[in-house]
Amino acid sequence: MNEAYEYLADWFEILNDDCDYPKWSQYFIEKLGALGAGKRGLELGCGSGAFSRALARAGYCMTGADLSAPMLTKAAALAREQGLAIEYRLQDAVTLKSGEKFDFILSPNDCYNYVPPHKLQTAFAHAANCLKKGGLFWFDISSEHKLRAKVANNMFADDREEVTYLSFNTLQDDRVKMDVTLFIREQDGRYARRDETHTQYIHTEEKVTQLLCERFEVLAAEGHLGEDKRGSDRLNFICRRK
């Protein structure tokens, strides 16, 4: 079984086209402006770069970072195609380092669900070290309810013309293991099978808030796109570095 996103990188945005990237990006752009976030930002766990591209088009000076080299290769290619000057870096949230201080760090779409609970405090400390004093740290996690009740012990499928996606998910104590299979259409019409595994860790709002308060002021904890967090599958933490 291969590492997460080794093969999924090329198909990630296509398979997630139902998440409405334009609306999601506009939510970030409007709120970052309202919070006076500044213009120099880091998208951590950027994947193939959908949000960093949207922010760059909106006038932000963006850098992207991710643990997956295939994701970064895809992100750089898409940015070049759109004429956007975005630097992408191979970085892990747990060991994040930068020679510069950013005005804000944005980390959407589950990046910190890939961080084990015992490493979360270290990850937050590294994020704080990469921010200017007063800088914004905005990330989300999939909620405990979503992972335990909707994702765990379930199977998801998406069948497209060029690719078929299957995910078989198993709850293992504080995490969900996702065995992903892709069937990718090749030029001769045959389909090649590719397998990889993902592990997402379950974090509670209470524990995350407790760890954040050591270095950040938590401005808000809200649901997806600002909705009521009660019942939301996604929980946004909007913080300011002390």
Side-chain angles (χ1 to χ4, degrees), residues 36-148:
K39 289 296 185 180
R40 188 162 193 82
L42 171 69
E43 186 192 358
L44 179 60
C46 64
S48 51
F51 297 110
S52 55
R53 296 196 308 273
L55 288 166
R57 288 193 296 268
Y60 289 92
C61 180
M62 294 301 298
T63 299
D66 201 281
L67 182 60
S68 167
M71 277 292 213
L72 292 172
T73 299
K74 185 67 174 181
L78 290 172
R80 284 194 302 270
E81 287 175 10
Q82 297 181 21
L84 299 170
I86 303 172
E87 179 187 356
Y88 288 103
R89 303 173 180 174
L90 187 65
Q91 292 258 270
D92 184 345
V94 178
T95 58
L96 181 66
K97 293 182 179 179
S98 176
E100 60 191 301
K101 301 285 188 180
F102 293 97
D103 296 318
F104 65 90
I105 294 175
L106 180 66
S107 187
N109 210 4
D110 303 342
C111 172
Y112 283 91
N113 286 110
Y114 285 88
V115 177
H118 69 280
K119 294 184 178 181
L120 206 55
Q121 184 177 32
T122 299
F124 291 160
H126 281 277
N129 289 338
C130 292
L131 282 168
K132 296 177 181 178
K133 186 175 182 179
L136 289 177
F137 179 38
W138 184 346
F139 68 97
D140 67 39
I141 58 172
S142 281
S143 69
E144 181 180 15
H145 175 73
K146 173 188 173 183
L147 289 175
R148 288 191 183 277

Side-chain angles (χ1 to χ4, degrees), residues 34 49 72 93 101 105 165 190 196 239:
L72 292 172
K101 301 285 188 180
I105 294 175
Y165 166 92
R190 293 183 297 175
E196 58 187 55
C239 316

Side-chain angles (χ1 to χ4, degrees), residues 119-200:
K119 294 184 178 181
L120 206 55
Q121 184 177 32
T122 299
F124 291 160
H126 281 277
N129 289 338
C130 292
L131 282 168
K132 296 177 181 178
K133 186 175 182 179
L136 289 177
F137 179 38
W138 184 346
F139 68 97
D140 67 39
I141 58 172
S142 281
S143 69
E144 181 180 15
H145 175 73
K146 173 188 173 183
L147 289 175
R148 288 191 183 277
K150 295 184 177 181
V151 176
N153 302 324
N154 207 345
M155 189 275 280
F156 295 89
D158 192 341
D159 187 26
R160 309 286 181 109
E161 182 72 21
E162 301 295 328
V163 62
T164 295
Y165 166 92
L166 302 169
S167 180
F168 300 89
N169 310 324
T170 307
L171 180 65
Q172 299 180 342
D173 297 323
D174 64 347
R175 69 202 69 179
V176 177
K177 180 186 177 188
M178 305 171 183
D179 292 318
V180 172
T181 295
L182 298 172
F183 292 97
I184 302 169
R185 186 176 183 180
E186 300 186 324
Q187 290 185 346
D188 62 5
R190 293 183 297 175
Y191 285 81
R193 174 174 173 166
R194 299 290 183 261
D195 298 289
E196 58 187 55
T197 186
H198 298 237
T199 299
Q200 287 202 12

